[in-house]
Amino acid sequence: MDAVGRRLLRWASGIMCVLGAGHLALLALLARDDVAGWADRGVWAAVPLLDGGSGPTLGSLRNEIAFWAGPGSFSVPLVLLGCLVWHLAGRGVAVPAWTGWALAAWCLVGGVLLVPSPFFAGTVAGLLVVAAARRRVTAP
């Protein structure tokens, strides 16, 4: 892989890591009481699967929203994917174009469904992965 391809992958991975980490940081600011309550109730009781038959309460709904907006959301896998792409770029390994197309499509649909949203920046990251894959230098 040439230097331009590596630079494209590094930019893509940076975008992915910033999006994922930013999402988690925003959750920590907006739902800090719910997240802090997870430590009080214990990890396994953070988001109970059964409500005991009494129906959801406002507190349980806020708790579930905090979980699905944070550790249960796209943010953790997006940071991991960003770190993997960064590592592969450093080793000169090309990331397959399908990975970029899948990320771009997923972020495009997410951005359309959740406007306004930084999801569209993920589309840019996906297209950068595709561009880097197309620049792949083939050995004779």
Side-chain angles (χ1 to χ4, degrees):
M1 175 180 299
D2 63 345
V4 175
R6 287 181 187 202
R7 198 166 35 250
L8 290 172
L9 286 178
R10 291 284 169 111
W11 272 100
S13 64
I15 291 169
M16 288 184 264
C17 288
V18 166
L19 280 176
H23 196 268
L24 289 173
L26 191 60
L27 169 80
L29 290 174
L30 297 177
R32 64 180 161 264
D33 294 335
D34 295 313
V35 174
W38 296 345
D40 293 339
R41 293 186 302 274
V43 175
W44 297 113
V47 182
L49 298 176
L50 302 173
D51 60 5
S54 63
T57 64
L58 182 60
S60 69
L61 288 176
R62 284 188 56 211
N63 188 46
E64 290 176 20
I65 289 170
F67 173 77
W68 289 112
S73 73
F74 72 94
S75 56
V76 175
L78 193 61
V79 169
L80 292 174
L81 180 62
C83 290
L84 176 64
V85 169
W86 184 276
H87 175 73
L88 292 176
R91 296 187 66 181
V93 177
V95 177
W98 64 263
T99 305
W101 285 120
L103 178 64
W106 173 55
C107 289
L108 183 66
V109 169
V112 168
L113 294 176
L114 189 64
V115 174
S117 168
F119 253 115
F120 291 116
T123 303
V124 173
L127 294 176
L128 287 172
V129 171
V130 171
R134 293 188 183 254
R135 292 192 52 86
R136 193 176 338 181
V137 177
T138 57

